[in-house]
């Protein structure tokens, strides 16, 4: 079956760095997405990886290793507003998105 | 950037009535749109995949006669909750995929439905 695994919850300190991991097993692969979702709001797009390696975008970076079925989202210089759920999603061979359950990130001052 | 407009953002209706939610892609064509439902503190649950000009594909357990989906154009999909009941109260979110390959999925802002 298809499966996306990511930690349920993580806690980090304001100003620090946090890495949210995502492992996946899907039928085919057409890219991996990271989304941020604040409580009561719709998800917002953060990053898209289809090739191995690191994609950097400001304070956020996303890494992909297709051979390992693994990705991480790296958040630097954490701010209180980064407290949210972070969703990992993989697009399979049918171009359908398989979603992880999300990682709730709690930022403490 | 690409924008998906979802309307209304919140709606309260009486039990037994129907509610229509619209999802529009404002600056791109979306051959495929997705409808999700999300309960508090839970992840997104895909309800159906809507392809322009054809019938929607519903996920297992989602009643197609209750959640009517219409995707009549490349920029508009609608979800109608028919004969709404209090258990249908939820946060409904649409998303649209740009027709160009490997583009990200863009989400609407969601609709908070409360059935009294």
């Amino acid at each position: 079956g298809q499966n996306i695994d990511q930690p349920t919850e993580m806690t980090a300190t304001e100003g620090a760095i946090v890495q949210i991991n995502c492992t996946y097993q899907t039928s085919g692969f057409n890219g991996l997405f990271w989304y941020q979702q604040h409580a009561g709001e719709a998800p917002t797009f953060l990053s898209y990886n289809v090739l191995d390696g690191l994609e950097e975008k400001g304070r956020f970076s996303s890494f992909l290793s297709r051979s390992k079925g693994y990705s991480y989202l790296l958040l630097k210089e954490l701010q209180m507003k980064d407290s949210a759920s972070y969703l990992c999603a993989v697009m399979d061979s049918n171009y359908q998105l398989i979603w992880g359950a999300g990682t709730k990130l709690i930022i403490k001052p | 950037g690409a924008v998906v407009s979802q309307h209304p953002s919140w709606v309260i209706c009486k039990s037994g009535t129907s509610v229509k939610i619209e999802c529009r892609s404002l600056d791109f064509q979306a051959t495929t749109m997705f409808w999700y439902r999300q309960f508090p503190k839970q992840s997104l649950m895909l309800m159906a995949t809507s392809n322009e000009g054809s019938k929607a594909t519903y996920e297992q357990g989602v009643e197609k006669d209750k959640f009517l989906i219409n995707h009549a154009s490349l920029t508009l999909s609608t979800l109608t909750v028919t004969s709404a009941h209090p258990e249908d109260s939820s946060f409904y979110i649409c998303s649209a995929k740009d027709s160009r390959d490997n583009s990200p999925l863009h989400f609407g802002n969601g609709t908070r439905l409360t059935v009294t």
Side-chain angles (χ1 to χ4, degrees):
Chain A
Q2 308 205 94
N3 194 49
I4 309 284
D5 283 319
Q6 52 181 128
T8 305
E9 187 175 295
M10 299 182 70
T11 302
T13 305
E14 189 177 15
I17 299 173
V18 71
Q19 177 175 310
I20 303 174
N21 296 324
C22 172
T23 57
Y24 63 89
Q25 290 177 310
T26 57
S27 55
F29 179 83
N30 277 303
L32 185 145
F33 299 81
W34 283 97
Y35 284 84
Q36 179 191 61
Q37 186 179 26
H38 286 99
E41 298 179 11
T44 54
F45 170 73
L46 289 178
S47 67
Y48 170 70
N49 294 68
V50 66
L51 299 176
D52 289 351
L54 186 69
E55 295 276 345
E56 297 186 76
K57 194 183 295 184
R59 294 189 298 115
F60 292 9
S61 302
S62 57
F63 171 84
L64 174 67
S65 169
R66 288 172 297 172
S67 62
K68 296 181 179 179
Y70 167 70
S71 172
Y72 67 72
L73 180 69
L74 190 72
L75 292 77
K76 303 176 184 177
E77 301 170 15
L78 286 170
Q79 302 174 9
M80 298 303 293
K81 67 179 183 179
D82 296 330
S83 291
S85 286
Y86 291 85
L87 307 173
C88 171
V90 173
M91 186 171 284
D92 69 9
S93 56
N94 294 319
Y95 293 93
Q96 298 297 311
L97 273 181
I98 313 300
W99 291 89
T103 298
K104 182 180 180 182
L105 178 62
I106 300 169
I107 309 295
K108 295 185 175 180
Chain B
V3 176
V4 173
S5 173
Q6 186 172 341
H7 178 81
S9 55
W10 61 271
V11 58
I12 301 172
C13 71
K14 291 187 177 180
S15 188
T17 62
S18 296
V19 174
K20 179 185 282 188
I21 303 170
E22 291 188 349
C23 182
R24 294 180 184 272
S25 57
L26 296 185
D27 56 359
F28 64 97
Q29 293 185 330
T31 52
T32 304
M33 289 186 175
F34 303 90
W35 287 94
Y36 295 86
R37 183 172 180 175
Q38 187 174 36
F39 292 101
K41 299 183 180 180
Q42 294 189 30
S43 188
L44 297 169
M45 185 193 81
L46 180 65
M47 298 175 67
T49 301
S50 167
N51 292 300
E52 185 266 337
S54 62
K55 290 183 178 180
T57 302
Y58 289 81
E59 296 299 302
Q60 192 172 8
V62 178
E63 299 174 59
K64 60 180 67 177
D65 293 331
K66 181 170 183 62
F67 298 100
L68 301 178
I69 291 172
N70 183 285
H71 192 162
S73 76
L74 286 172
T75 59
L76 174 65
S77 176
T78 60
L79 168 69
T80 302
V81 183
T82 63
S83 187
H85 289 124
E87 56 264 32
D88 298 326
S89 298
S90 188
F91 191 48
Y92 293 86
I93 309 171
C94 75
S95 65
K97 186 181 186 313
D98 194 320
S99 299
R100 293 168 291 182
D101 289 338
N102 297 330
S103 58
L105 205 61
H106 300 283
F107 284 86
N109 288 329
T111 298
R112 175 75 58 194
L113 171 63
T114 302
V115 184
T116 61

